[in-house]
Amino acid sequence: MSYIPVAVQMFTLRKESKGDFVGTLERVAEIGYKGIEFAGYGGMSPSDLKKTIDRLNLKAASSHIPLSSIETELDKVIHDQHLLGSKHIVCPFLPSDRRREKDYRELVDILNKAGRKCFEEGISLSYHNHDFELEEMEDGRMPLELLLKETNPEWVKAEFDIYWLTKAGESPVEWLSQYAERTPLVHLKDMTSDDEQFFAELGTGGVNVQEVLGKGDKNNVEWWIVEQDQSRISPFESIQESFNYLKKHNVVSI
């Protein structure tokens, strides 16, 4: 199995980052993570942030960029990625007022247009799912199916979140298999096996994480990304526990 580096999505550490952004990055590096998926830059310029992550031997795995910014300031977003050394941007979330069937159909055009521009600039654009994109529309299809089947595979990729796929009753491995050429980034998180189906550290819930990790080579995954939306322990303890799981099981070289 080839080496696939592991990053942290900084939304996991949003409270810690607000208080001390650079100190939070330092803690991530100390644990042993190799990369960062940004959700904002902590008030730093991309150039200064690049100097900081270089000092910490971290890489910019990708950046979550709000849809509004993808629509209105894509040139700046792409420029920032070049400064950071990031090859990936991700549309992370849809506002609740943009989840009707007609909105998803409009989103196909938005993603294709932005994805083509990113592709021409050496950047990939991915769409990150939650569970609401897996609810059937009037035509019987799920929005996630619509987005992936009607966008250009070269221009629009998928950042599958294995927790949200599982919560929606879907198999992460089946989705990874179906879109094997379109998954450079994968969000890793577990889900408790009780009725609450809460977010869980890797290896502590019911998601078959090892089966997902086994898809890495075939899918040409470039980054595994640990994310924990909420945790019953502190966020630093959470990402440490998930890191320990990956290290213990030797599924990827960390």
Side-chain angles (χ1 to χ4, degrees):
M1 186 176 293
S2 62
Y3 168 63
I4 299 173
V6 182
V8 167
Q9 164 51 246
M10 291 296 284
F11 180 75
T12 308
L13 302 163
R14 55 197 177 277
K15 293 181 180 178
E16 291 72 16
S17 296
K18 189 174 181 180
D20 184 359
F21 189 68
V22 172
T24 300
L25 294 175
E26 290 172 344
R27 288 283 300 274
V28 169
E30 287 170 4
I31 290 171
Y33 285 93
K34 300 301 182 186
I36 298 294
E37 182 174 61
F38 291 103
Y41 305 136
M44 300 179 70
S45 70
S47 297
D48 287 342
L49 183 51
K50 179 65 162 64
K51 293 175 185 176
T52 298
I53 61 176
D54 283 350
R55 173 175 64 83
L56 298 173
N57 292 316
L58 291 169
K59 301 292 185 183
S62 64
S63 296
H64 274 197
I65 305 294
L67 178 59
S68 59
S69 295
I70 292 173
E71 292 177 293
T72 62
E73 53 179 358
L74 186 59
D75 287 339
K76 180 181 184 303
V77 169
I78 291 171
H79 179 67
D80 289 348
Q81 302 318 298
H82 289 317
L83 292 176
L84 286 168
S86 167
K87 297 193 300 179
H88 301 281
I89 66 171
V90 181
C91 177
F93 190 72
L94 286 184
S96 58
D97 61 351
R98 297 187 68 172
R99 299 179 191 172
R100 296 166 296 181
E101 186 168 336
K102 78 176 192 66
D103 295 318
Y104 287 112
R105 296 190 183 280
E106 291 172 359
L107 184 58
V108 168
D109 293 332
I110 293 168
L111 293 177
N112 267 331
K113 181 180 178 181
R116 180 176 183 175
K117 189 166 191 175
C118 288
F119 178 78
E120 292 170 350
E121 292 283 346
I123 303 289
S124 83
L125 170 65
S126 297
Y127 183 85
H128 173 278
N129 70 279
H130 291 78
D131 55 350
F132 55 80
E133 299 97 340
L134 296 152
E135 299 172 1
E136 282 192 3
M137 301 182 295
E138 289 183 7
D139 68 359
R141 286 193 294 177
M142 293 178 282
L144 190 57
E145 287 180 302
L146 170 71
L147 293 176
L148 293 176
K149 288 184 178 178
E150 297 194 15
T151 52
N152 187 311
E154 274 196 309
W155 301 340
V156 181
K157 308 298 182 181
E159 182 179 61
F160 288 137
D161 184 301
I162 67 173
Y163 168 89
W164 289 114
L165 285 168
T166 304
K167 188 171 176 60
E170 298 290 318
S171 165
V173 170
E174 288 180 8
W175 280 85
L176 286 164
S177 297
Q178 185 173 358
Y179 295 99
E181 303 301 319
R182 298 177 73 174
T183 61
L185 311 169
V186 178
H187 265 204
L188 299 178
K189 72 183 76 158
D190 214 332
M191 184 176 78
T192 61
S193 300
D194 55 22
D195 292 338
E196 189 175 358
Q197 296 185 317
F198 196 68
F199 307 101
E201 289 69 37
L202 299 180
T204 67
V207 179
N208 192 334
V209 178
Q210 290 194 53
E211 189 178 13
V212 169
L213 291 166
K215 302 294 292 183
D217 283 342
K218 187 172 183 179
N219 283 50
N220 295 314
V221 172
E222 295 179 31
W223 285 94
W224 301 118
I225 300 172
V226 171
E227 182 186 43
Q228 189 93 7
D229 301 46
Q230 300 176 51
S231 179
R232 291 167 175 162
I233 56 180
S234 79
F236 281 126
E237 290 176 310
S238 176
I239 66 169
Q240 178 74 68
E241 187 166 335
S242 288
F243 180 86
N244 291 345
Y245 170 85
L246 292 169
K247 187 174 180 180
K248 175 182 177 182
H249 287 273
N250 233 0
V251 181
V252 290
S253 177
I254 302 176

